[in-house]
Amino acid sequence: MNMPALDVITIGRSSVDLYGQQVGGRLEDMASFSKAVGGCPANIAIGTARLGLKSALITRVGDEAMGRFIREQMEREGVETSGIHTDPARLTALVVLGVRDEKQFPLIFYRDNCADMALDESDIDEALIASAGAIVVTGTHFSKPNTDAAQRRAIALAKKHGRKVVFDVDYRPNLWGLAGHGAGEERYIKADHVTAHLQAILPDCDLIVGTEEELAIAGGSEDTLETLRRIRAVSGATIVCKRGPMGCVVFPGDIPASLDDGIKGPGFPVEVYNVLGAGDAFMSGFLRGWLKGEPLETACAYANASGAFAVSRLLCSPEIPTFTELQYFLKHGSKERALRKDATLNHVHWATTRRPAAEGLMALAIDHRAQMEAMADEAGVPRGKISDFKVLAVRAAAKVAGGQPGFGMLIDGIYGREALFRAADHPFWIGRPVELPGSRPLEFEGGADIGTSLIEWPVGQTIKCLCFYHPEDPPALKEQQERQLLRLYAAARTVGRELLVEIIAGKHGPLKDDTVSSVVQRLYDLGIKPDWWKLEPLKTPAAWRAVADVIEKNDPLCRGIVLLGLEAPEEDLEAAFAAAASEPLVKGFAVGRTIFNEPARAWLRGGLSDEAAIDAMASKFARLVGAWEAASRHAAAAQ
């Protein structure tokens, strides 16, 4: 038998979850929602991928934005997407959910003739099934003849190729037509025809997972031990009984006289914030252990811990831990009963689930406002012309990037609004400033309530904040600036945007080998962990090593450092690149005035055409790209 390329394929539901953000309110009163991938199989595909398994999903999505969102998010999570088929005739399923209190979690399924329920046998590719060590079939997709046939074909092919079959009972009574649309949170309604239907599936399963209520519908008895015995009578599968806050119990063989006599793992008592999605996180954790051949006790620990993360956070698939996060939790635990309040765990979760990015970054910075206002005033033209020039800068950057990864732009939202729109047409990393230009102490451009303005930003835009900060600044000034940076960091994490902190120390005091590193350490001491640092060129390897040591000690998950330009001549920047490239944490540069100063002045005066300005900026940007790449190659060869 060939070794499978994939660990697991999940089959069935995929939807978009719209979670009400006003916790404690009724769905009727929800005013805003968070969007995430949902549906049991889709969640498990994401969860197992995060936990280090090679996973795939077989489902259907609509030929519209929500379907594309599911596909793109799966790709970002590392899930194989060849089994996700686009249905041109149907819409992607939606689910509206909320948290009323610790026992009420209202939800409405919008699944009438939805794409995933149109799955049929034609969607089950034998080669794909054969490529995985296991498949996961789910209860809801046995509720309709076409989806039932699809999953039965998948089971038959898995058995043919010697693969394992996992059954997540995933019982939703109203998706079997047993309750009305308003009963989405109903978990159990006795139904003999559902039991009979599911019992025909059990003999082919290697692993069966469900809550006590779900196992009751599968086995046909509301007495848990009796239903386990009925399942065992028709199936030799390992049976996992999920018991909520009591963890789980596993029965690989005969059913004992007491539930407590099964195999168990450690439990993790946490505050229950939202139970929706906890079972999918649990299954992801259990599969991580079971499919890797770990002892059942270990699989239980992975499962219980993953479920604990899910119930302590708001959403479903976004809250499932990564394996890095899971290992950290199992080793260190948490001082917080509400895991969502644990700053260390939250950072590990954020840093290991944020959107993928290229290893390096070469950015054209065109976010300057005060400097370009001065240029426009000097040229005697309306400041509105600045916006037109910034669009030209986007075209220049795109000309150099040629669609390659690792290129980006810094663009403001004041004069760069149209440039931001045009930059989104390219695969650029995009950073956007929030600081009031030149402010010291730091002030925010959009007003005091920074969090409100960030909500309007596209999720892919990175917050950039420049702070003029020197270790020898007066204590009152440092305190004001630190308070602002703390507010910004909290807002960035709340709205889910990456943060780049730019520190310029040299304009307000001497630059010694430990100057910048001491600033970076101070911000880490405050609990600020930006995704990126943007720093002025440092003159010695010792200074760069000091900064890198601080970052590696405080946040080994940091994306890295980019160099700023400070209007330096190209030859000075080339020398700075050569000095910085030997430090692996320096990932590139974000340079502006060195590139655009001369073309901007000439263009604003009317002495340069649009195309000539684009060519001039592209030429300068390309030379800096070449210089950085040469410096990087030289540094790599020297190591």
Side-chain angles (χ1 to χ4, degrees):
M1 186 189 305
N2 294 329
M3 287 296 294
L6 296 170
D7 292 303
V8 62
I9 299 171
T10 65
I11 304 170
R13 282 194 290 148
S14 63
S15 61
V16 173
D17 287 349
L18 299 175
Y19 259 99
Q21 293 180 304
Q22 288 73 52
V23 174
R26 307 180 306 158
L27 281 183
E28 293 88 333
D29 300 320
M30 292 298 165
S32 58
F33 297 84
S34 292
K35 182 180 73 171
V37 170
C40 171
N43 290 340
I44 296 170
I46 288 173
T48 50
R50 287 186 172 186
L51 291 169
L53 297 181
K54 297 175 182 177
S55 66
L57 172 67
I58 295 176
T59 190
R60 285 195 191 187
V61 297
D63 188 14
E64 21 76 354
M66 294 302 179
R68 289 189 290 275
F69 165 68
I70 290 175
R71 186 185 297 275
E72 291 172 10
Q73 185 61 26
M74 289 294 169
E75 291 170 349
R76 284 190 285 267
E77 297 280 2
V79 175
E80 165 61 46
T81 60
S82 61
I84 301 177
H85 303 133
T86 300
D87 188 323
R90 297 170 180 84
L91 292 171
T92 304
L94 298 178
V95 185
V96 177
L97 315 93
V99 176
R100 184 70 178 85
D101 55 37
E102 65 178 21
K103 294 182 179 178
Q104 298 179 78
F105 307 95
L107 68 158
I108 305 170
F109 292 103
Y110 290 80
R111 298 184 54 81
D112 185 27
N113 195 33
C114 66
D116 69 47
M117 287 306 290
L119 198 76
D120 62 29
E121 291 181 84
S122 69
D123 295 300
I124 307 300
D125 177 69
E126 180 170 1
L128 181 60
I129 296 295
S131 72
I135 65 168
V136 176
V137 293
T138 49
T140 298
H141 265 57
F142 288 114
S143 66
K144 301 293 182 184
N146 56 296
T147 54
D148 178 87
Q151 291 204 124
R152 288 177 187 269
R153 171 172 163 77
I155 291 171
L157 291 172
K159 304 302 284 186
K160 173 184 173 181
H161 291 279
R163 306 314 190 194
K164 295 183 182 300
V165 176
V166 179
F167 179 30
D168 188 323
V169 182
D170 182 37
Y171 184 44
R172 297 291 183 269
N174 71 336
L175 299 184
W176 283 84
L178 300 175
H181 293 307
E185 66 176 311
E186 183 65 56
R187 294 306 178 118
Y188 178 75
I189 295 176
K190 180 178 172 59
D192 291 341
H193 72 285
V194 175
T195 297
H197 196 123
L198 296 182
Q199 285 192 335
I201 310 302
L202 304 180
D204 288 324
C205 298
D206 298 284
L207 178 68
I208 299 168
V209 180
T211 62
E212 291 188 65
E213 294 84 1
E214 288 172 332
L215 293 177
I217 198 68
S221 172
E222 294 176 16
D223 178 282
T224 301
L225 280 172
E226 176 59 25
T227 205
L228 288 168
R229 292 189 181 104
R230 292 185 184 185
I231 293 171
R232 176 60 73 232
V234 298
S235 175
T238 296
I239 306 169
V240 180
C241 179
K242 297 183 288 186
R243 306 185 72 195
M246 292 184 287
C248 66
V249 188
V250 182
F251 304 95
D254 293 341
I255 306 303
S258 168
L259 288 179
D260 292 333
D261 292 335
I263 295 174
K264 291 174 285 192
F268 303 95
V270 296
E271 177 202 66
V272 175
Y273 194 59
N274 178 19
V275 300
L276 302 174
D280 304 334
F282 176 96
M283 175 67 98
S284 300
F286 194 87
L287 289 175
R288 173 60 172 85
W290 189 69
L291 290 175
K292 288 290 188 181
E294 301 269 15
L296 288 174
E297 292 84 354
T298 301
C300 290
Y302 291 167
N304 291 340
S306 297
F309 276 106
V311 299
S312 191
R313 294 169 174 169
L314 178 61
L315 305 178
C316 291
S317 63
E319 315 295 21
I320 298 175
T322 61
F323 197 57
T324 299
E325 182 183 8
L326 181 64
Q327 288 178 305
Y328 182 92
F329 177 67
L330 291 174
K331 181 178 180 179
H332 300 284
S334 174
K335 296 178 181 178
E336 300 284 351
R337 191 165 180 271
L339 297 184
R340 69 186 183 281
K341 296 180 181 179
D342 188 311
T344 301
L345 282 175
N346 286 344
H347 177 67
V348 176
H349 183 77
W350 165 260
T352 55
T353 60
R354 60 194 167 196
R355 292 187 168 212
E359 177 64 20
L361 176 59
M362 297 173 288
L364 196 168
I366 194 73
D367 58 325
H368 305 71
R369 287 138 287 163
Q371 297 93 335
M372 296 207 74
E373 287 174 348
M375 289 183 189
D377 294 347
E378 182 183 311
V381 298
R383 288 181 174 181
K385 293 278 288 180
I386 298 171
S387 299
D388 298 331
F389 182 78
K390 294 195 175 195
V391 172
L392 301 182
V394 173
R395 292 174 60 187
K399 187 174 182 179
V400 176
Q404 301 174 80
F407 285 84
M409 296 197 72
L410 285 170
I411 307 173
D412 63 288
I414 303 299
Y415 296 109
R417 184 170 182 269
E418 184 63 27
L420 283 168
F421 294 157
R422 300 287 64 81
D425 297 333
H426 305 278
F428 285 148
W429 173 92
I430 297 174
R432 183 170 168 181
V434 293
E435 76 279 355
L436 188 67
S439 60
R440 190 172 190 265
L442 172 65
E443 294 182 36
F444 299 127
E445 192 167 55
D449 188 2
I450 184 65
T452 299
S453 60
L454 293 175
I455 290 173
E456 299 177 359
W457 290 24
V459 295
Q461 292 182 357
T462 295
I463 304 162
K464 171 257 180 183
C465 184
L466 165 59
C467 185
F468 296 97
Y469 186 120
H470 194 278
E472 297 175 8
D473 286 340
L477 173 60
K478 287 197 284 190
E479 183 180 345
Q480 283 181 278
Q481 305 223 102
E482 290 167 0
R483 188 183 306 118
Q484 291 288 74
L485 288 171
L486 280 166
R487 291 179 57 227
L488 177 60
Y489 180 67
R493 290 296 168 263
T494 299
V495 300
R497 303 295 188 275
E498 291 195 28
L499 174 63
L500 178 152
V501 171
E502 177 178 359
I503 297 296
I504 296 180
K507 286 194 173 184
H508 297 278
L511 273 183
K512 303 174 184 177
D513 282 352
D514 64 347
T515 300
V516 175
S517 62
S518 68
V519 176
V520 172
Q521 181 63 63
R522 173 58 184 164
L523 297 189
Y524 279 131
D525 289 342
L526 292 171
I528 298 170
K529 295 183 177 182
D531 302 275
W532 292 94
W533 294 95
K534 186 182 178 194
L535 304 176
E536 58 203 303
L538 304 180
K539 294 182 179 180
T540 68
W544 279 119
R545 188 64 252 167
V547 171
D549 286 344
V550 168
I551 295 173
E552 289 168 354
K553 180 181 73 173
N554 290 275
D555 183 16
L557 297 172
C558 178
R559 288 203 188 276
I561 305 164
V562 291
L563 287 176
L564 56 89
L566 291 177
E567 203 177 353
E570 285 185 47
E571 56 271 21
D572 289 357
L573 281 180
E574 289 182 16
F577 289 175
S582 60
E583 176 46 60
L585 268 177
V586 181
K587 303 296 185 180
F589 64 87
V591 172
R593 284 175 288 171
T594 304
I595 296 170
F596 72 74
N597 253 4
E598 293 177 9
R601 293 181 189 280
W603 183 85
L604 288 168
R605 291 195 305 266
L608 208 60
S609 69
D610 288 357
E611 294 303 322
I614 292 168
D615 288 343
M617 287 188 283
S619 178
K620 289 173 177 286
F621 187 31
R623 287 198 296 272
L624 289 179
V625 167
W628 173 255
E629 290 177 337
S632 298
R633 287 193 300 270
H634 180 75
Q639 290 177 354

